[in-house]
Amino acid sequence: MSGFLTENEIEQTVESLIDVYKIDRSLLIKFIGTDKYIQMNKMLRNLNEGIMDDYQLVRMIVIEKGLFLFAGSNDIVRDLRSQLLKQLNKNILVQLYDRNPISNRKIQSPTHMPKALASKRWIMGGRWARDFVQTLGFPLVFSGISIPKDHSTDPIQDIEPRKSVPPLVEYQRGLKEKMLSVLNKEQEKTRCVVTLPTGGGKTRVAVESFIDWMQPRFNEGKYLLWIAQGEELCEQAISCITDMWQEREFPESLRVYRYFGGKTIKYESLIGGAAISSIQQLYSRIQSNDESLNEILANCGAMIIDEAHHATTKSYEILFNKCKELAGEDLFPICGLTATPGRSNEETMTLVNQFEAYLIYPSLPDMRRYELNPLLYFREEGYLAEPIFLLHEDGEEIEVADYMDNEDTDLNQEILTILANDEKRNYQIIKYMRSIPLGSSSLVYACTVAHAEFLAMMMNSIGRNSSVISADTPRSIRRMHIAAFKRGEIEFLFNYGVLTTGFDAPKTDHILICRPTSSIILYEQMVGRGLRGERFGGTEYCKVIDFSKNIKRHGEPLAYARFIKEWQIREVSNINQSVTKKKQLN
């Protein structure tokens, strides 16, 4: 089992709940809430879909709840379990109770057994969950036995050699040579910023360069400290380091330390290797004077800062001061990675000047032609998908100047919540999503978690398989949804604030930006999830639909306008017609 509901499992469950157990509609409505149920039916009528019948309602709930349909301890789930158990044959019910007795209670009357069993603690994959599901005739997947195991929980991992990965392409090899040249020349005084467009493989190039340079230093007990902004990027780095170490055929293993997510590294386990951490974890451990971190910083052989535009914050200043205290003023090689469209980008140059760093960028075959727009090269060669951009009309003009905390920050939560609850805007979004061809892979950035959930429920209610990922989604479930999205089992993957970095789904062909932003960095990160080209396993085109046309800041458009200009993207009025015309011309 894949850990994700198949169409057969969904249909079997819907049929059982409606035809076999005849679950009350009033209880089903409680799963989504009366207000939201009314709101959804109003939207469906506006879309000429009519109100939800029992089949649509149950199917939507089964898809939304997924493996957790019967799990949990809230009153609604307990009522569902109780209603189901009440309909069992008395002998089967008694046998079920005898196999799963309630501690410190002796219940002999079958009449009282359903309520008692419904309140029994539900552990995904546990004996009671399995027995409940099998006895009632539901697919075993609902017991939770097929939820993928989370192998990222251990703070330490030893990476063995031997694995084959695709070789670097020409511009990546050139970038690696430049990095090694700077490292060999400057040694411990190396300061560099590597710039490469989103989807260009900057993590792969950096890992391969520093693995080669650090390999003899690992044997001396030195550490490669990789710093990222969140757990997703940390795990992405570990995956890349694992692949590259195994591909290099080194004779010894490499120890990797997960220094994020609250994990603790014991001092006795430190033998050198790659320490992967979030800046938040480092800042917290510096405050507590953690002895393991002190050991890593004192013996750091090199530091890589992913998403290096964050390195100007106070947290990094504190980190650098601690490093100087433990390792000396000269420190060690420090390399920043940034995904920018070109070396003239002002954020990149600010970073380069602040750290007095070498700027390392790819050498392209015709530098005169690509000087002003290096992205053209990556698109023409198929490394990046070609963005086709539609700015969607989404309602009345809104001025967001009053919803900015200050001049330098993004839109605040208040305006995002207002937009999330805007019925006319949501109608435009859902109407457009419904027009996307069946079988497409669409990644959707919502205004809030509740907004993502509402949009997903709407699409599920009209038969378009959708899922939601948020910061509260367990890592194993998140990976399961992403895997199903990559396999094409999910058409729409909705999220708020979690799939901007560290997420890889090369075949994504639609990016829908429902969340407006004034941050060009955030905007590039969102759009960048769909920019991988065919030569890197992606798509020829990436269709970007932005619903922020009528949202202004001081009368000016938001980050999408700068993105269109810097990435030299042509706007279209009809995405599908534009793609068809391009293919005919070619």
Side-chain angles (χ1 to χ4, degrees):
M1 288 180 285
S2 68
F4 193 80
L5 295 180
T6 65
E7 185 59 33
N8 286 338
E9 289 166 340
I10 294 170
E11 289 295 327
Q12 178 188 340
T13 305
V14 172
E15 182 180 335
S16 294
L17 290 172
I18 293 176
D19 298 331
V20 178
Y21 294 106
K22 304 184 187 318
I23 297 300
D24 291 342
R25 186 178 180 86
S26 59
L27 173 59
L28 296 170
I29 292 173
K30 288 180 181 179
F31 271 94
I32 59 176
T34 302
D35 291 343
K36 191 169 287 185
Y37 175 73
I38 294 172
Q39 183 183 3
M40 290 181 66
N41 274 314
K42 180 180 179 181
M43 184 70 72
L44 287 170
R45 284 196 297 271
N46 290 337
L47 293 166
N48 296 319
E49 292 281 350
I51 63 172
M52 277 187 284
D53 57 24
D54 287 349
Y55 173 83
Q56 287 175 294
L57 178 60
V58 174
R59 180 182 172 86
M60 183 193 66
I61 292 170
V62 170
I63 294 174
E64 287 290 320
K65 297 289 290 183
L67 307 187
F68 295 86
L69 178 64
F70 304 115
S73 58
N74 63 60
D75 291 340
I76 299 171
V77 173
R78 286 182 176 181
D79 284 349
L80 175 61
R81 295 197 296 245
S82 181
Q83 281 196 26
L84 292 168
L85 291 165
K86 285 178 181 178
Q87 298 182 62
L88 286 176
N89 173 279
K90 285 186 179 180
N91 290 334
I92 294 176
L93 178 61
V94 170
Q95 292 171 10
L96 178 64
Y97 180 83
D98 288 342
R99 294 194 299 270
N100 303 275
I102 309 300
S103 300
N104 302 319
R105 292 181 64 184
K106 293 183 178 180
I107 299 175
Q108 296 182 341
S109 170
T111 305
H112 298 110
M113 289 178 181
K115 185 176 181 180
L117 285 171
S119 299
K120 189 175 179 65
R121 185 184 177 196
W122 186 281
I123 299 174
M124 295 298 283
R127 180 180 298 176
W128 161 235
R130 295 190 194 197
D131 207 351
F132 175 92
V133 167
Q134 289 180 305
T135 300
L136 286 154
F138 290 103
L140 190 57
V141 68
F142 289 107
S143 70
I145 63 167
S146 58
I147 293 178
K149 301 300 181 184
D150 189 350
H151 297 295
S152 65
T153 55
D154 294 334
I156 295 172
Q157 170 183 344
D158 290 330
I159 298 173
E160 300 297 333
R162 296 185 306 277
K163 185 175 182 178
S164 178
V165 298
L168 296 176
V169 298
E170 184 177 357
Y171 77 84
Q172 292 175 328
R173 290 196 299 271
L175 205 58
K176 176 185 174 182
E177 290 171 4
K178 289 183 179 182
M179 293 178 69
L180 290 175
S181 176
V182 171
L183 279 165
N184 291 327
K185 176 182 177 182
E186 298 294 330
Q187 296 291 321
E188 279 65 34
K189 295 182 180 180
T190 295
R191 302 289 180 270
C192 63
V193 173
V194 177
T195 175
L196 195 61
T198 296
K202 68 181 190 308
T203 300
R204 162 73 190 277
V205 176
V207 166
E208 186 163 331
S209 301
F210 275 85
I211 285 292
D212 284 358
W213 195 76
M214 282 291 300
Q215 189 263 334
R217 294 165 177 81
F218 288 138
N219 293 332
E220 300 169 3
K222 294 291 184 180
Y223 298 88
L224 171 63
L225 179 58
W226 187 292
I227 307 174
Q229 290 302 306
E231 293 186 26
E232 294 291 342
L233 279 176
C234 287
E235 286 296 342
Q236 184 185 64
I238 290 173
S239 177
C240 189
I241 289 171
T242 300
D243 287 347
M244 294 317 306
W245 187 264
Q246 292 177 329
E247 191 272 342
R248 306 309 281 169
E249 297 186 359
F250 294 128
E252 66 278 347
S253 62
L254 174 67
R255 178 157 294 186
V256 171
Y257 307 86
R258 283 183 169 87
Y259 222 135
F260 55 88
K263 297 179 178 64
T264 301
I265 306 295
K266 294 182 179 180
Y267 184 85
E268 308 83 61
S269 67
L270 296 173
I271 60 172
I276 317 301
S277 183
S278 63
I279 184 60
Q280 298 88 351
Q281 184 88 88
L282 294 176
Y283 176 80
S284 174
R285 296 303 172 91
I286 288 172
Q287 303 306 308
S288 63
N289 198 33
D290 182 81
E291 66 169 346
S292 295
L293 177 58
N294 289 345
E295 173 69 12
I296 291 172
L297 297 181
N299 293 283
C300 188
M303 177 189 291
I304 297 179
I305 304 172
D306 200 3
E307 303 294 326
H309 48 269
H310 293 287
T312 56
T313 62
K314 187 70 174 179
S315 297
Y316 276 96
E317 180 183 344
I318 291 171
L319 171 62
F320 292 143
N321 288 337
K322 187 67 173 180
C323 289
K324 289 177 181 178
E325 173 190 327
L326 296 170
E329 288 292 324
D330 287 342
L331 292 177
F332 32 72
I334 300 175
C335 177
L337 308 179
T338 180
T340 52
R343 51 197 167 110
S344 60
N345 181 273
E346 62 183 77
E347 283 86 2
T348 301
M349 296 315 299
T350 298
L351 198 64
V352 169
N353 294 333
Q354 181 168 340
F355 290 95
E356 298 180 352
Y358 283 86
L359 176 60
I360 301 177
Y361 52 88
S363 297
L364 306 179
D366 187 347
M367 291 304 293
R368 286 182 297 178
R369 182 183 178 200
Y370 300 119
E371 177 75 22
L372 296 179
N373 185 15
L375 291 168
L376 182 61
Y377 167 79
F378 295 102
R379 290 178 192 155
E380 289 180 347
E381 294 297 320
Y383 298 121
L384 294 182
E386 180 179 351
I388 301 177
F389 192 90
L390 173 64
L391 195 55
H392 196 281
E393 194 81 25
D394 59 359
E396 298 178 3
E397 186 167 306
I398 299 174
E399 175 60 58
V400 298
D402 296 334
Y403 298 99
M404 309 288 289
D405 293 329
N406 59 58
E407 288 295 312
D408 299 320
T409 58
D410 204 356
L411 281 65
N412 62 28
Q413 200 60 49
E414 183 181 357
I415 183 60
L416 293 179
T417 301
I418 290 172
L419 293 172
N421 295 323
D422 188 320
E423 289 186 13
K424 290 183 179 179
R425 189 170 189 266
N426 285 336
Y427 171 79
Q428 294 289 340
I429 292 170
I430 295 166
K431 183 180 179 182
Y432 188 88
M433 289 193 295
R434 191 176 60 163
S435 73
I436 292 176
L438 290 169
S440 299
S441 295
S442 301
L443 182 60
V444 187
Y445 292 92
C447 294
T448 63
V449 173
H451 190 219
E453 292 172 345
F454 174 74
L455 294 176
M457 283 193 290
M458 286 301 307
M459 296 308 291
N460 278 321
S461 71
I462 59 178
R464 305 295 293 270
N465 284 357
S466 306
S467 289
V468 178
I469 289 177
S470 72
D472 295 328
T473 306
R475 183 178 298 280
S476 58
I477 302 300
R478 186 182 304 186
R479 288 203 306 270
M480 190 173 66
H481 285 310
I482 290 173
F485 180 67
K486 291 180 179 180
R487 293 193 301 268
E489 296 172 12
I490 294 174
E491 289 186 84
F492 295 88
L493 186 59
F494 295 83
N495 84 105
Y496 170 71
V498 294
L499 297 182
T500 53
T501 56
F503 166 69
D504 182 29
K507 291 296 185 181
T508 301
D509 48 31
H510 287 75
I511 302 287
L512 286 86
I513 301 179
C514 307
R515 171 198 177 166
T517 179
S518 61
S519 167
I520 184 63
I521 291 173
L522 176 59
Y523 200 88
E524 289 179 356
Q525 288 173 338
M526 290 191 291
V527 175
R529 299 310 97 200
L531 288 182
R532 180 171 291 189
E534 290 182 302
R535 289 186 65 174
F536 285 156
T539 56
E540 182 179 1
Y541 300 101
C542 172
K543 303 170 187 177
V544 181
I545 300 91
D546 190 303
F547 292 87
S548 304
K549 182 172 184 177
N550 296 337
I551 302 173
K552 311 289 184 181
R553 179 184 179 190
H554 302 305
E556 297 295 326
L558 299 179
Y560 66 81
R562 183 175 165 189
F563 171 77
I564 291 171
K565 179 181 178 181
E566 290 191 356
W567 288 67
Q568 298 187 20
I569 293 170
R570 183 173 61 88
E571 290 186 59
V572 300
S573 57
N574 186 304
I575 279 183
N576 291 323
Q577 286 183 6
S578 299
V579 172
T580 301
K581 288 180 180 178
K582 282 177 178 288
K583 287 184 176 179
Q584 289 174 347
L585 290 172
N586 292 335

